Amino acid sequence: MKRLFFLLTLVSVLIFSTAVTFAKNVGNGKKIIYIPIDNRPVNLVQTIDVAERLGYEVLVPPEIFLGTGPKPEQFGNPEELWNWLYENAPQADAAVISTDAMLYGSLVASRQHNLTPEEILNRAKNFEKLHEENPNLPLYVFATIMRTPSVGMVSNTDAKSYTYYYKQIFRYTVLTDKDETDKLTNAEQKEFEQLKKEIPAYALEDWFGRRAKNYDANKYFVDLTKADTFQYFLAGGDDGARYSQTHLESRHLAEYGKPLGKEKLQVMSGADELGMLMISRAINNDLHHVPFIAIGYNAGKGGETFPTFSNEKISESLEGAIFSIGGIPVRNPANADLVLAVNTFPNGKTKSADNKKNKSKPHSGIGPYMKMLEGYLKNNYPVGVVDIATSNGSDNALMKRLKNENLQFKIRSYSGWNTATNSAGFLIGAGVLTNYMNDTDIYSLLMTRYLDDWAYQANIRTQINDGLIWTIPGDGHAWGLGTRQEGLEKLASDLAADFAKKNIRLPRGYSLKNIQVNFPWSRTFEAEVNFDLGKN
């Protein structure tokens, strides 16, 4: 059966791919409902931007109903979201929906809520009602598997029961997961028994209890997928590690949904890129197009790289993302709709972009990577640069080479923000859709990433957090800007404009103006960057 599906897929590609490539306004005003995981720029405006450039109309709930911050009063309103969804579903051609928003209010709310299992199940059952009332509306639904923050990852967005004992609980889950997949050593077994004594029962009960509700809801969504309530279900493991509770639950959920196959379900590592992936699948399905995607890895560990914040190898994450958008991995880049040029360090380690070693000076991976990239471009392949050597921002050494070689606008897409899976997944979802865009649209999407991932995340944010924040009068800090916010937005905007002037080589005939940086969550971690890019 799977072989038959694959053959039919190949036939559909041959029929449709050349017909739709570079078509203008392919969406023809069709309406896609989109309920994001929260209102952070990459989840909301940046994802919507991609679809609207293809001529789709994206229907989004009033922002006040969405998660708008990390505080309980900012968690979003599932009841209002469901009312809005029921009202707007009849006019839509497809719906892309976050279960975290519909069950809890937002991603952060999923970590801190005190809902009962009955309350969660009742909200989950609304999907059945939605499908019954709109049987011809394809539902592309995405969920997260709760994160397991390790040392250095925990924040005020996690439940207090976890933040008080995060070191012990994280290690406890490492050993629990490892005990299922590998044999614990005698030392690890003793450590495991000691942790059981050290961690208060109430902390484990609170944290694991909330996780159990989330896991049961995700199993229920797998059941709805089996019943064809959902067109597709995508579950992403939020921040985790090779061994962690997130990895354990991901394994179990994948096994539970295995009979469905990749045509209906995918369990992978990731969170904030899931909305873009499902928007991409909805559009690809609407266009009857199955994208072919080839992958090229840097020298060294390459696809065996195990990125920070991930519970799987990057090769597994990339394959999962490709299948989730309805695509097929291919070996020959000459046959691909998009070629991924994956930037990793040869040793397979992932550094943070705010590390002092993230400088413009070339490192050992730059030479082989540039040779691969330039080979793809020489053959006129549509290339997406997956910049995951560093997390939470671009690899400065790579970006400097792209500038010096005047390649910034020779590639089709770029991504280097937040985690490796966030970057790779968003690029895959958006990158395949650039085949339907004109040059100005492609350049605009690239500019968003250059100003956000490179200028802001890899450079300006570090400058602000390392001291510039204190030069702005008022009260506040990096995780709560307070009365400093307006002054910091002006400072960040000026720094971004100066950075762009020095580091971005615009295509001939284009100008960049009015760069504006805002902090929608009143913290420096993420920014919304707006600008005007146009022809002279």
Side-chain angles (χ1 to χ4, degrees):
M1 185 67 184
K2 289 186 177 179
R3 181 178 176 83
L4 176 60
F5 173 84
F6 184 78
L7 291 174
L8 291 174
T9 295
L10 290 178
V11 173
S12 70
V13 170
L14 292 174
I15 294 173
F16 292 107
S17 61
T18 53
V20 298
T21 300
F22 299 113
K24 294 182 179 179
N25 198 33
V26 294
N28 292 315
K30 289 183 178 179
K31 297 178 180 179
I32 300 176
I33 281 176
Y34 177 48
I35 301 181
I37 205 166
D38 55 41
N39 79 330
R40 283 172 295 154
V42 73
N43 294 321
L44 185 61
V45 296
Q46 292 178 7
T47 297
I48 292 171
D49 184 36
V50 175
E52 289 184 337
R53 290 181 185 277
L54 300 183
Y56 290 89
E57 181 181 353
V58 182
L59 307 178
V60 184
E63 202 162 344
I64 193 173
F65 297 161
L66 301 174
T68 58
K71 299 177 182 178
E73 62 269 21
Q74 301 170 312
F75 279 177
N77 192 320
E79 287 78 12
E80 292 290 357
L81 287 175
W82 278 112
N83 291 336
W84 180 90
L85 181 55
Y86 287 137
E87 181 179 346
N88 286 273
Q91 62 175 310
D93 298 287
V96 175
I97 306 170
S98 161
T99 65
D100 292 71
M102 306 310 290
L103 299 187
Y104 317 110
S106 68
L107 176 64
V108 177
S110 73
R111 305 168 185 165
Q112 298 185 18
H113 71 86
N114 290 304
L115 298 168
T116 66
E118 291 74 24
E119 289 172 317
I120 293 172
L121 180 60
N122 285 337
R123 288 177 178 175
K125 286 182 177 179
N126 286 336
F127 279 106
E128 295 182 78
K129 177 183 175 183
L130 177 68
H131 177 64
E132 290 172 0
E133 294 182 355
N134 305 274
N136 296 320
L137 177 66
L139 303 179
Y140 301 90
V141 180
F142 62 99
T144 63
I145 298 165
M146 284 181 64
R147 77 178 194 159
T148 311
S150 61
V151 177
M153 291 168 56
V154 71
S155 71
N156 62 354
T157 66
D158 293 291
K160 287 184 171 59
S161 61
Y162 188 84
T163 58
Y164 290 150
Y165 299 98
Y166 68 92
K167 290 182 180 179
Q168 296 97 318
I169 294 179
F170 174 75
R171 186 61 185 165
Y172 180 92
T173 73
V174 166
L175 297 176
T176 302
D177 186 18
K178 190 175 181 181
D179 192 36
E180 285 193 6
T181 56
D182 303 293
K183 186 177 181 180
L184 295 181
T185 65
N186 289 336
E188 287 173 331
Q189 189 63 52
K190 291 180 180 178
E191 180 188 4
F192 194 25
E193 297 302 321
Q194 183 61 33
L195 286 169
K196 292 178 183 179
K197 298 176 182 178
E198 290 180 4
I199 306 171
Y202 81 86
L204 287 177
E205 182 179 347
D206 177 73
W207 193 67
F208 278 104
R210 193 175 290 106
R211 297 194 70 97
K213 298 172 192 176
N214 176 266
Y215 182 77
D216 288 344
N218 285 336
K219 282 185 65 178
Y220 178 74
F221 293 138
V222 172
D223 292 336
L224 292 186
T225 310
K226 292 177 180 178
D228 290 326
T229 301
F230 296 162
Q231 181 82 11
Y232 198 85
F233 179 54
L234 175 62
D238 200 2
D239 299 336
R242 179 178 302 205
Y243 295 111
S244 63
Q245 189 65 20
T246 304
H247 180 241
L248 182 150
E249 292 170 9
S250 295
R251 288 190 293 101
H252 290 188
L253 191 66
E255 185 64 29
Y256 185 71
K258 190 175 181 179
L260 284 167
K262 299 182 185 298
E263 296 82 32
K264 295 284 290 184
L265 174 144
Q266 183 68 47
V267 179
M268 53 182 279
S269 182
D272 292 329
E273 75 277 19
L274 304 182
M276 183 68 255
L277 290 170
M278 287 296 90
I279 287 282
S280 186
R281 186 179 185 94
I283 292 175
N284 287 323
N285 281 359
D286 179 54
L287 298 176
H288 305 286
H289 183 57
V290 179
F292 282 2
I293 301 177
I295 307 173
Y297 292 103
N298 201 2
K301 291 285 188 178
E304 295 297 308
T305 296
F306 216 110
T308 306
F309 310 122
S310 179
N311 56 50
E312 62 190 11
K313 295 182 294 186
I314 192 59
S315 60
E316 296 173 354
S317 296
L318 293 179
E319 182 180 283
I322 291 170
F323 282 121
S324 77
I325 66 165
I328 295 177
V330 296
R331 291 180 178 271
N332 189 347
N335 298 330
D337 296 278
L338 181 68
V339 180
L340 306 180
V342 185
N343 176 39
T344 54
F345 285 120
N347 63 7
K349 302 294 183 181
T350 306
K351 298 179 182 178
S352 177
D354 62 5
N355 189 298
K356 292 181 179 180
K357 294 182 179 180
N358 185 24
K359 299 179 180 179
S360 298
K361 182 179 179 181
H363 52 73
S364 61
I366 292 298
Y369 180 83
M370 290 303 298
K371 183 178 180 180
M372 174 180 68
L373 177 62
E374 289 170 345
Y376 289 151
L377 294 174
K378 184 178 180 180
N379 285 292
N380 295 315
Y381 298 149
V383 178
V385 170
V386 183
D387 188 7
I388 58 172
T390 53
S391 58
N392 293 313
S394 303
D395 177 355
N396 277 317
L398 170 62
M399 302 310 290
K400 190 71 171 181
R401 282 294 296 271
L402 293 183
K403 175 206 170 185
N404 290 344
E405 303 292 333
N406 197 21
L407 300 178
Q408 292 171 323
F409 295 93
K410 302 292 175 58
I411 61 176
R412 186 61 59 81
S413 53
Y414 170 84
S415 191
W417 59 278
N418 216 0
T419 70
T421 54
N422 291 160
S423 294
F426 192 94
L427 183 143
I428 289 169
V432 297
L433 299 179
T434 61
N435 285 326
Y436 310 109
M437 299 181 189
N438 60 36
D439 287 344
T440 299
D441 288 331
I442 293 172
Y443 297 160
S444 294
L445 294 180
L446 284 167
M447 187 63 69
T448 295
R449 300 267 59 89
Y450 292 154
L451 291 176
D452 192 340
D453 309 0
W454 185 23
Y456 181 73
Q457 294 189 45
N459 293 281
I460 295 170
R461 180 172 60 194
T462 300
Q463 296 172 38
I464 290 175
N465 291 349
D466 282 353
L468 286 181
I469 187 172
W470 311 119
T471 67
I472 303 299
D475 298 317
H477 49 81
W479 292 96
L481 301 182
T483 58
R484 286 192 166 100
Q485 180 161 340
E486 184 176 350
L488 283 169
E489 289 178 339
K490 174 64 167 59
L491 172 62
S493 300
D494 291 342
L495 290 172
D498 183 63
F499 186 95
K501 184 177 180 180
K502 295 177 180 177
N503 294 284
I504 295 179
R505 299 174 66 175
L506 292 169
R508 180 175 296 180
Y510 283 82
S511 61
L512 178 65
K513 301 176 182 177
N514 302 324
I515 298 176
Q516 178 65 47
V517 179
N518 299 308
F519 300 117
W521 275 31
S522 192
R523 62 188 193 183
T524 61
F525 185 72
E526 63 273 298
E528 180 177 347
V529 183
N530 295 295
F531 55 87
D532 294 326
L533 178 70
K535 294 184 177 180
N536 295 331

